[in-house]
Amino acid sequence: MIQDKIYHEQRLRVAINRRTQAEPGSVNNRIPPEFISCSEDGHICTIRYRLKPEMRNPMGWLHGGVISAMVDMGMGLLVYYNADFLLCPTASMTVNFLRPGRIDGCLVVQSEITFHGHKIFHTTARAWMEDEPEKLVCTATGSYIVTPKAVPLKEKKTKK
């Protein structure tokens, strides 16, 4: 339904904003994603990253670590949203690099939740240059662990 899609779009935008603004200077804040679209059920989300010269490797291509961070952030944001805004750290991630990414332009990442239970989410992702959607830069899979709501470190009780 269109109404469901609009609902998910609005809430995914909130999730992206929360994660990118939560910690100024963090990776999420320094590489801010832009929302493009989502599925009607909110289990697929497409985002875009504007690429900058400082994201290149010594060969002049988009650095593999930056690509990995962008793909991890794309899958993680989708999990964060679908886990009702609970922090869900990455348990494992595999990235398969298929071709170099260029610095000029934007990298598009489409993430999908393939399974979720009470304690874990499994995801997949595909990334491509915005002007070449038929040529994948990488594919990825990730697992994310659902954690209880974060408690500030200073408030945690320690055993004596």
Side-chain angles (χ1 to χ4, degrees), residues 114-148:
T114 56
F115 169 84
H116 71 88
H118 294 290
K119 296 185 180 187
I120 195 162
F121 279 80
H122 293 286
T123 61
T124 61
R126 303 176 317 130
W128 60 87
M129 296 302 299
E130 189 171 41
D131 62 346
E132 295 183 307
E134 71 286 352
K135 295 181 179 179
L136 292 179
V137 171
C138 74
T139 61
T141 58
S143 297
Y144 296 81
I145 302 295
V146 178
T147 60

Side-chain angles (χ1 to χ4, degrees), residues 5-138:
K5 187 170 183 173
I6 291 169
Y7 171 80
H8 291 299
E9 284 180 5
Q10 291 171 342
R11 287 185 41 98
L12 275 159
R13 288 176 192 274
V14 168
I16 289 169
N17 189 51
R18 280 186 184 181
R19 295 310 313 143
T20 56
Q21 302 303 316
E23 299 173 34
S26 69
V27 172
N28 288 5
N29 182 254
R30 289 177 175 264
I31 310 174
E34 299 172 3
F35 178 85
I36 295 177
S37 66
C38 69
S39 62
E40 288 184 16
D41 63 2
H43 289 175
I44 300 172
C45 182
T46 306
I47 57 178
R48 158 183 42 235
Y49 296 93
R50 297 193 183 281
L51 305 178
K52 304 171 190 170
E54 60 268 22
M55 296 175 176
R56 69 184 180 280
N57 66 19
M59 296 175 64
W61 297 105
L62 183 57
H63 192 286
V66 174
I67 295 170
S68 296
M70 291 173 173
V71 170
D72 184 29
M73 197 181 322
M75 292 187 292
L77 284 166
L78 185 60
V79 169
Y80 173 70
Y81 168 69
N82 278 277
D84 294 324
F85 300 99
L86 291 176
L87 296 175
C88 300
T90 310
S92 68
M93 185 175 79
T94 301
V95 181
N96 303 296
F97 298 100
L98 306 173
R99 67 176 35 86
R102 298 185 329 271
I103 290 301
D104 60 330
C106 296
L107 186 75
V108 175
V109 175
Q110 183 176 69
S111 304
E112 180 176 3
I113 293 174
T114 56
F115 169 84
H116 71 88
H118 294 290
K119 296 185 180 187
I120 195 162
F121 279 80
H122 293 286
T123 61
T124 61
R126 303 176 317 130
W128 60 87
M129 296 302 299
E130 189 171 41
D131 62 346
E132 295 183 307
E134 71 286 352
K135 295 181 179 179
L136 292 179
V137 171
C138 74

